[in-house]
């Protein structure tokens, strides 16, 4: 596959409705994973003395701050996908841009409480959230035309690139 064709196909993929729906899917998984992690902590970690913990280190901070933010992002993503289906990408650019800012805003929250729950319960939130953030970044950079030359093919920026998968984005008559 030529570098030019790879850029073309990645641009199509990262601006496709299908890829936006992948973002929605991972956000749903991440939210459910966070709900399950908080529930696990509530049910199994009552013995933990949190009297010396800062408010941002407690699960309540995630319940009161992170969860509503994630739910708003998911709701906005769903609306943005509807607009994208009509050809308007400005809403998906906005919501994925908000996700970039949300990551920075969430840095003040500590995940100290997560150390007390099983890794698989924690990963049920963390892994899909990581995927959602990567997809959101790729969408934002693509639809906003924020990638600099060559960045869209840099796997350290976009994540792994499956050239076989990119073939789905070929248009009739195109060849690699």
């Amino acid at each position: 596959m030529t570098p030019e064709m790879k850029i073309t196909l990645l641009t199509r993929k990262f601006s496709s409705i299908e890829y936006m729906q992948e973002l929605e899917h991972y956000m749903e998984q991440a939210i459910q994973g966070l709900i399950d992690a908080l529930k696990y902590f509530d049910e199994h970690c009552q013995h933990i003395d949190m009297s010396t913990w800062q408010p941002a280190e407690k699960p309540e901070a995630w319940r009161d701050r992170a969860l509503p933010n994630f739910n708003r992002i998911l709701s906005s993503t769903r609306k943005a996908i509807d607009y994208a289906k009509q050809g308007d990408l400005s809403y998906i650019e906005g919501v994925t841009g908000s996700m970039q800012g949300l990551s920075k805003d969430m840095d003040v929250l500590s995940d100290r409480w997560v150390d007390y729950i099983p890794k698989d319960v924690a990963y049920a939130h963390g892994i899909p959230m990581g995927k959602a953030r990567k997809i959101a970044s790729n969408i934002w950079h693509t639809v906003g035309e924020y990638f600099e030359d060559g960045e869209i093919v840099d796997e350290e920026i976009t994540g792994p690139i499956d050239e076989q998968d990119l073939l789905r984005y070929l248009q009739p008559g195109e060849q690699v």
Side-chain angles (χ1 to χ4, degrees), residues 29-46 59-60 62-63 67 111 113-126:
Q29 283 188 337
I31 290 168
Q32 188 58 55
L34 179 56
I35 291 168
D36 293 345
L38 290 165
K39 181 179 177 187
Y40 184 94
F41 188 90
D42 289 344
E43 292 176 356
H44 298 94
C45 300
Q46 295 301 316
E60 289 79 19
W62 284 80
R63 185 177 291 109
L67 196 52
D111 57 0
W113 64 276
V114 175
D115 292 339
Y116 295 91
I117 62 175
K119 294 285 186 237
D120 62 319
V121 175
Y123 290 165
H125 164 70

Side-chain angles (χ1 to χ4, degrees), residues 29-132:
Q29 283 188 337
I31 290 168
Q32 188 58 55
L34 179 56
I35 291 168
D36 293 345
L38 290 165
K39 181 179 177 187
Y40 184 94
F41 188 90
D42 289 344
E43 292 176 356
H44 298 94
C45 300
Q46 295 301 316
H47 64 284
I48 306 296
D49 178 12
M50 295 184 284
S51 62
T52 61
W53 292 17
Q54 297 297 315
E57 295 175 316
K58 297 178 182 180
E60 289 79 19
W62 284 80
R63 185 177 291 109
D64 297 342
R65 186 169 178 186
L67 196 52
N69 280 330
F70 294 156
N71 279 315
R72 278 190 291 277
I73 291 285
L74 177 58
S75 176
S76 295
T77 298
R78 289 178 174 144
K79 290 175 188 168
I81 291 170
D82 289 340
Y83 281 107
K85 287 177 181 176
Q86 299 169 30
D88 185 348
L89 298 179
S90 64
Y91 291 90
I92 196 70
E93 180 184 352
V95 74
T96 54
S98 293
M99 281 190 73
Q100 310 302 307
L102 180 63
S103 295
K104 292 177 179 92
D105 185 45
M106 298 299 295
D107 285 345
V108 299
L109 292 181
S110 167
D111 57 0
R112 183 175 183 178
W113 64 276
V114 175
D115 292 339
Y116 295 91
I117 62 175
K119 294 285 186 237
D120 62 319
V121 175
Y123 290 165
H125 164 70
I127 290 173
M129 182 55 75
K131 290 179 180 180

